[in-house]
Amino acid sequence: MRNWIVAGNWKMHNTTGESIALAQAIKEGTKDIKNGEVIIAPPFTSLFSVGAAIKGTQVSLAAQNMHHEDKGAFTGEIAPGMLKDVGCTYVIIGHSERRKYFHESDEDVNLKVKKALAVGLKPILCVGETEDERVKGVTQSIIDTQIKKALSGVENIDNVVIAYEPVWAIGTGKVATSAQAEEVHHFIRGILKELYGAVSKDIRILYGGSVTKDNISELIGMENIDGALVGGASLKPDAFLGIINQITGKK
Ligand code: PGA
């Protein structure tokens, strides 16, 4: 049985004070959760304070990105060890906004996934097709390439979480139907089975893209959807906790 995950990606939102207040509300509201994991990914500037605020609770800390080198002359970048130092256990890698606005390639994503695993951070690897690619009918080949390139040279995927995030559904209010999402999740599990055999059934695959408390219950009802990576709806305690409450008891 796979434990569910709800991860909140705060993107470029929240000052330190706002971050601590939101983290505290989430901590309070998730005290009694069972068989699931709640993860929050504040901006870099809030990681330290949020890490301190949620220390010892059931809420885990994630970063939204990292560099693949341990240290060096990379102005403006953050090293994996720095993330561990402030209490991160997860790191989001290859988010479509990183790929689109910061030109991250599948090769960059692969370097980051390998480095995260090497230092003991769990990567939340994001993949997803654009609207154009879906219309052209190449969704599966895009996903296949993204996953295989990202995991190239990765021997053990026990600590990897995959997030399927169709680019056309992110921040648009256009959520994938549960059937559309399940089709891709099932396809991803097939790729993992081909690459890693039996362990593939234990790997969590999250859906992301316009998830709210009103659409999560149908998505979470699908066999291969193990949780959600949430953007907009992770910024308000009620909206985020509402999603978690919908999942509790369903998985
Ligand atoms: P959204 O973002 O929930 O605002 O669509 C999801 C994400 O980018 O992870």
Side-chain angles (χ1 to χ4, degrees), residues 9 11 95 97 165 169-172 208-211 229-233:
N9 173 11
K11 307 192 180 183
H95 189 280
E97 287 152 16
E165 299 206 298
I170 296 178
T172 57
S210 296
V211 170
L229 179 53
V230 186

Side-chain angles (χ1 to χ4, degrees), residues 168-188:
W168 48 270
I170 296 178
T172 57
K174 272 203 274 180
V175 64
T177 65
S178 49
Q180 281 173 325
E182 172 62 15
E183 190 184 11
V184 180
H185 282 231
H186 178 262
F187 178 71
I188 292 172

Side-chain angles (χ1 to χ4, degrees), residues 54-227:
I54 61 175
K55 199 166 187 222
T57 72
Q58 63 300 319
V59 183
S60 301
L61 190 66
Q64 299 173 17
N65 180 34
M66 60 169 227
H67 197 273
H68 65 269
E69 293 286 353
D70 287 321
K71 58 167 85 162
F74 300 104
T75 301
E77 290 292 323
I78 303 280
M82 297 170 185
L83 301 180
K84 288 205 73 180
D85 183 47
V86 291
C88 289
T89 46
Y90 286 91
V91 55
I92 298 172
I93 294 194
H95 189 280
S96 66
E97 287 152 16
R98 301 285 328 158
R99 294 178 191 256
K100 179 174 170 194
Y101 301 123
F102 305 98
H103 314 294
E104 275 187 23
S105 65
D106 287 327
E107 288 70 28
D108 296 325
V109 170
N110 177 240
L111 288 172
K112 293 181 185 203
V113 168
K114 285 193 288 197
K115 178 54 93 175
L117 291 169
V119 303
L121 286 165
K122 300 177 185 177
I124 302 175
L125 165 64
C126 301
V127 296
E129 82 287 1
T130 62
E131 180 144 49
D132 194 40
E133 289 160 347
R134 176 158 281 266
V135 170
K136 284 195 187 122
V138 294
T139 297
Q140 293 198 346
S141 74
I142 294 290
I143 301 290
D144 188 76
T145 304
Q146 287 179 344
I147 299 243
K148 286 184 177 158
K149 286 196 171 171
L151 295 178
S152 168
V154 173
E155 277 164 25
N156 185 333
I157 50 157
D158 293 353
N159 286 328
V160 177
V161 173
I162 310 265
Y164 168 56
E165 299 206 298
V167 178
W168 48 270
I170 296 178
T172 57
K174 272 203 274 180
V175 64
T177 65
S178 49
Q180 281 173 325
E182 172 62 15
E183 190 184 11
V184 180
H185 282 231
H186 178 262
F187 178 71
I188 292 172
R189 200 160 316 275
I191 303 172
L192 297 178
K193 181 149 191 237
E194 177 193 326
L195 296 174
Y196 298 99
V199 296
S200 59
K201 68 176 190 334
D202 300 324
I203 304 306
R204 268 86 56 89
I205 308 176
L206 315 182
Y207 168 79
S210 296
V211 170
T212 65
K213 63 179 173 1
D214 301 319
N215 59 33
I216 188 63
S217 32
E218 231 192 279
L219 289 160
I220 203 67
M222 308 311 279
E223 189 185 336
N224 288 292
I225 300 183
D226 305 312

